[in-house]
Amino acid sequence: MTEQKSETRGAQKLKFPQDRFDDIPIGGGRDAKIGAHRAVPRPAFFGKWVLTVLVLTIIVSALGILWITQWSGGAAVADRVTAATKSEKVVAELDPEARVIVVNGTTVSELADSVAGEISNRDLGQVQFTDIAADSDVKISAVFYADDAYEGAAIALARELGGVSHYKSETYAEQPADLVVLLGSDYQGPGR
């Protein structure tokens, strides 16, 4: 470090001490660069890639829908699907042999017995027994069935009871009945 570097500036000669930047190693390698050399960060391409895939998916989907509805007889396909769905609808048919349980989910006393009497008198099913629901503030009346074979009977019984709802449910599958009538505060059918 005792060597001096000299430079000429105009008419004046300046001397500076020698440092590590004066001798750059020859031959490259890791030590060939001295000073702050930083890599230029690459632009983020992931977001652009995701956006491109999303836009292309939307375009292809829209073209597919347009092709189906406009050029390939999409209306005919929709008509065939609707016809198939309509033919699979269950026909409502009363089953006088269906075993029925009537459950009162309201605070109206004797409601289950009264509705059960209507079911028996009108030959809408074979009432097994009546019961009081665990909850006395049931809002919606319904006829439940667990076996698909009793769906038509459930629909028909629901209509006869003033148009209450009907649902398939495994909740009452263990009961000794084919149909379970749950009476709620909205019930206005026969026996009310």
Side-chain angles (χ1 to χ4, degrees):
M1 289 255 212
T2 58
E3 295 180 28
Q4 298 291 323
K5 181 179 179 186
S6 62
E7 274 192 58
T8 308
R9 245 191 219 181
Q12 186 179 355
K13 190 174 186 180
L14 299 173
K15 294 188 179 190
F16 297 102
Q18 187 171 1
D19 58 13
R20 63 185 182 123
F21 297 106
D22 291 330
D23 295 323
I24 299 175
I26 299 176
R30 183 169 185 215
D31 296 329
K33 293 182 180 181
I34 298 176
H37 298 284
R38 291 181 173 80
V40 177
R42 293 183 178 179
F45 290 109
F46 182 75
K48 291 178 184 177
W49 180 80
V50 169
L51 184 61
T52 302
V53 168
L54 181 64
V55 168
L56 288 175
T57 302
I58 291 170
I59 290 171
V60 169
S61 298
L63 289 175
I65 291 169
L66 185 65
W67 182 79
I68 288 173
T69 58
Q70 296 297 322
W71 297 296
S72 72
V77 171
D79 290 341
R80 286 193 301 262
V81 169
T82 303
T85 305
K86 286 181 182 175
S87 67
E88 293 175 10
K89 282 193 173 181
V90 176
V91 177
E93 185 176 341
L94 281 173
D95 183 358
E97 300 300 317
R99 298 172 300 159
V100 181
I101 295 174
V102 182
V103 181
N104 186 2
T106 70
T107 56
V108 178
S109 63
E110 308 291 324
L111 180 60
D113 292 332
S114 178
V115 172
E118 287 290 327
I119 292 171
S120 294
N121 293 339
R122 295 173 59 190
D123 206 23
L124 303 176
Q126 302 293 321
V127 177
Q128 302 298 303
F129 61 90
T130 62
D131 202 357
I132 297 173
D135 218 353
S136 64
D137 64 344
V138 174
K139 304 290 185 225
I140 299 173
S141 303
V143 177
F144 295 95
Y145 62 97
D147 186 354
D148 288 334
Y150 289 96
E151 183 176 5
I155 294 169
L157 181 58
R159 285 182 187 164
E160 292 293 323
L161 294 177
V164 301
S165 302
H166 63 280
Y167 301 102
K168 181 176 182 178
S169 175
E170 297 298 322
T171 304
Y172 300 105
E174 296 178 13
Q175 295 295 330
D178 305 313
L179 304 172
V180 175
V181 177
L182 177 62
L183 302 171
S185 59
D186 67 338
Y187 184 73
Q188 296 298 319
R192 179 75 178 173

